[in-house]
Amino acid sequence: MADVEMKKQDEKKEDEKKEDVKTPPPPPTPLAEIKSNVALIDKAVSTLEPRFTHRVLRSLTTLRKRTDQTVLRNSVEEIYPKDSAARKFLLSWIPGSSDTGASMDIDAKPTVQEPVPEVEIYLRLLITYGLLSSSESYAKALQLAKETGEKILQLNRRSMDPIAAKVWYVVDRAYELGGEIADARPLLLSAQRTASLRHDDESQAALINCLLRNYIHYSLFDQADKLVSKTTFPTSASNGQYARYHYYLGRIKVVQLNYSEAHRNLQQAIRRAPQPRTAPGFYQAVHKFFIVVELLMGDIPDRSLFRHPVLEKALTAYFDIVKAVRTGSLSQFQSTLSKHASTFTLDKTYTLILRLRQNVIKTGIRRLSLSYSRISLRDICHKLHLDSEEDAEYIVGKAIRDGVIEGRIVHESGWMECAGQKGGYGPEVSDIYGRRIAFCLDLHNQSVKAMRYPLNAHRKELAAAEGARERERELAKEIQEGDLDDEDLGGDF
């Protein structure tokens, strides 16, 4: 009987636990979320706290995918009063909406106050995203985006800076989808100058990235490099903007043969990028250039990189190139290059991979120097699939001069004599350790800068210090006036 009673008690406890577990509330509807974001924007303007606006913009990516024409129309009708000019303007841009018979029961509802201008810009942004979802409305979206940018410049409100940065990105995106990306350059340059004069750091960071993307799209790397040298990227920019900036810098540096700087910038872009599942396209694009730069530097990427679930399928062609470079087989490299030429051209890495031919040959020569103490130039030409012995002699001489191998060419006999293996110490090892130490220090500095502290936490310490100083003054005054005796001061005195 005791066992039966214990079982009943256990069943009662399980039932109580099930009752205690509350079902999670359903996610808010897009209309409710938009109204909540409008309240946050109003709060950000009234309290001068931009963190509320940043909270609204963090949900922009998911919200714009859930909104449609009906949601946008209902949002405008419920947020703005019936006789508002901004309401009529916004409804005119939403397809299938008319303000004449929008809602018949508006008079029954309490009167709605006119929102702040930041709310109008936010709704314009959502409407522009909605127009960009259809190829038939690209021209309309471009016109609305341009008018929104002009209105931002006219208002000149610092509380609008976070939303303005998103608007300028949408302007660039609308020009690109409309096939007129080159026409956006004068407008973006003018807006960048204005943002720099007004110390609008967020808009300035977004505009610099848009201009760099514009130049790189047309392979104008010299103009992009001049823009980087003439501007200063804001230190207060977000991680997403910094990731894009480092990615564009890496692409500029690799074209200029500055592989070490390109490697450092691409590494920073990977570290600052969003989660792979959040932005898989950017994550894949950065790694494609990162792998090519590592190969150009003479390093072999880690094999685990190609097993990443987000990168595995996108990096198939690059994995074949890495295998060809690692083995030093020129024939395998040429066959892989011709097989995946369309992929490399689409990724804009084809011209960079063509530079890897010399690296493949150097890798093959290094393998031969480790295997043979003496080998003829004819055998080198045969093993590396070179065209002639003269080419083999030139390539071996360049490898010896660059320090890839240690040895000498005996021209009279037509062979290469190889020296012993290099030791594990020397200036090269010191340089490698120096780069690693510099990277760790830079990582520490960036982590310290990215730390967030509670607002006004220092004021508590200041108040405590002021109270201590006030007590010290009162004590000194009483001592000076002689109001304290030995018992007040303590027995030690």
Side-chain angles (χ1 to χ4, degrees), residues 169-436:
Y169 171 76
V170 172
V171 170
D172 182 58
R173 184 65 176 160
Y175 270 106
E176 182 183 3
L177 293 176
E180 305 173 359
I181 188 171
D183 299 336
R185 210 173 299 154
L187 177 63
L188 296 178
L189 285 170
S190 174
Q192 194 274 330
R193 287 194 297 268
T194 305
S196 178
L197 292 173
R198 294 176 177 177
H199 301 284
D200 182 0
D201 291 343
E202 298 183 13
S203 298
Q204 192 177 354
L207 287 164
I208 290 175
N209 283 330
C210 290
L211 286 168
L212 289 177
R213 186 169 184 269
N214 197 309
Y215 287 132
I216 292 175
H217 178 78
Y218 290 101
S219 300
L220 302 174
F221 292 99
D222 290 338
Q223 295 188 28
D225 186 51
K226 289 179 181 178
L227 176 66
V228 172
S229 62
K230 298 292 183 181
T231 57
T232 302
F233 197 78
T235 56
S236 60
S238 63
N239 270 342
Q241 297 293 348
Y242 255 115
R244 293 180 63 196
Y245 183 69
H246 283 297
Y247 168 66
Y248 295 137
L249 278 185
R251 291 192 59 178
I252 295 170
K253 298 299 181 183
V254 72
V255 171
Q256 297 174 342
L257 306 178
N258 193 349
Y259 298 137
S260 58
E261 280 295 315
H263 185 270
R264 186 182 66 82
N265 283 301
L266 291 173
Q267 209 168 33
Q268 290 288 331
I270 292 172
R271 187 169 65 84
R272 288 179 174 270
Q275 295 297 323
R277 299 289 184 184
T278 306
F282 181 78
Y283 197 71
Q284 293 168 1
V286 176
H287 273 89
K288 289 173 183 178
F289 281 92
F290 182 74
I291 289 169
V292 174
V293 169
E294 278 205 332
L295 292 175
L296 289 170
M297 293 177 65
D299 300 330
I300 302 297
D302 191 8
R303 192 182 184 91
S304 62
L305 185 65
F306 300 95
R307 297 172 182 167
H308 196 283
V310 177
L311 303 174
E312 185 175 6
K313 186 177 179 181
L315 299 182
T316 304
Y318 295 87
F319 183 56
D320 295 339
I321 284 290
V322 170
K323 289 191 291 185
V325 174
R326 184 175 178 274
T327 56
S329 174
L330 193 60
S331 59
Q332 183 182 354
F333 174 77
Q334 294 291 353
S335 62
T336 305
L337 184 61
S338 59
K339 178 182 177 182
H340 301 289
S342 58
T343 303
F344 297 143
T345 305
L346 186 63
D347 296 338
K348 296 187 177 181
T349 56
Y350 184 78
T351 55
L352 299 176
I353 292 176
L354 287 177
R355 302 180 189 177
L356 290 173
R357 185 176 183 274
Q358 294 296 327
N359 294 57
V360 175
I361 296 173
K362 286 180 180 180
T363 304
I365 293 174
R366 189 186 298 114
R367 292 169 66 91
L368 292 176
S369 67
L370 296 175
S371 304
Y372 300 92
S373 60
R374 179 188 297 175
I375 183 173
S376 65
L377 297 175
R378 182 185 297 276
D379 291 338
I380 293 176
C381 180
H382 176 70
K383 290 180 180 295
L384 298 181
H385 304 282
L386 299 177
D387 297 332
S388 62
E389 293 184 22
E390 287 78 9
D391 290 345
E393 184 177 359
Y394 165 74
I395 291 170
V396 170
K398 190 173 186 304
I400 293 173
R401 188 189 65 181
D402 294 343
V404 177
I405 60 173
E406 288 187 358
R408 67 189 186 92
I409 300 176
V410 182
H411 298 279
E412 297 80 8
S413 304
W415 63 56
M416 176 186 70
E417 290 184 354
C418 306
Q421 260 186 319
K422 291 184 177 181
Y425 300 94
E428 296 180 357
V429 180
S430 176
D431 292 340
I432 292 173
Y433 275 113
R435 288 201 300 269
R436 291 179 181 177

Side-chain angles (χ1 to χ4, degrees), residues 3 69 98 188 317 339 414:
D3 295 338
Q69 300 173 6
S98 59
L188 296 178
K339 178 182 177 182

Side-chain angles (χ1 to χ4, degrees), residues 27-188:
T29 61
L31 177 60
E33 192 170 351
I34 290 175
K35 293 174 70 175
S36 174
N37 290 341
V38 168
L40 284 175
I41 293 174
D42 195 7
K43 186 177 180 181
V45 175
S46 59
T47 60
L48 300 178
E49 285 287 351
R51 58 192 177 94
F52 297 113
T53 307
H54 287 292
R55 187 190 302 176
V56 171
L57 296 178
R58 278 197 295 269
S59 63
L60 179 63
T61 305
T62 56
L63 178 60
R64 66 183 176 88
K65 296 176 182 177
R66 300 167 54 203
T67 56
D68 54 11
Q69 300 173 6
T70 306
V71 173
L72 292 173
R73 181 168 58 251
N74 293 338
S75 302
V76 174
E77 290 174 355
E78 293 192 17
I79 292 171
Y80 283 91
K82 189 174 181 180
D83 56 347
S84 172
R87 169 196 168 112
K88 297 178 181 178
F89 177 83
L90 293 173
L91 288 176
S92 65
W93 288 97
I94 301 175
S97 63
S98 59
D99 192 43
T100 55
S103 62
M104 302 298 295
D105 57 341
I106 290 293
D107 296 332
K109 297 181 181 180
T111 57
V112 182
Q113 294 183 354
E114 185 80 15
V116 293
E118 284 78 4
V119 173
E120 180 186 351
I121 301 299
Y122 174 67
L123 292 174
R124 285 188 182 213
L125 184 61
L126 290 176
I127 295 172
T128 307
Y129 272 120
L131 294 173
L132 288 176
S133 61
S134 175
S135 58
E136 298 176 356
S137 56
Y138 283 164
K140 197 173 180 181
L142 177 58
Q143 183 181 355
L144 176 59
K146 289 169 63 176
E147 291 184 10
T148 306
E150 293 172 359
K151 187 174 182 64
I152 289 172
L153 295 177
Q154 292 174 1
L155 292 174
N156 189 18
R157 291 166 65 95
R158 297 283 66 81
S159 55
M160 201 177 288
D161 292 347
I163 306 176
K166 294 288 184 181
V167 169
W168 288 118
Y169 171 76
V170 172
V171 170
D172 182 58
R173 184 65 176 160
Y175 270 106
E176 182 183 3
L177 293 176
E180 305 173 359
I181 188 171
D183 299 336
R185 210 173 299 154
L187 177 63
L188 296 178

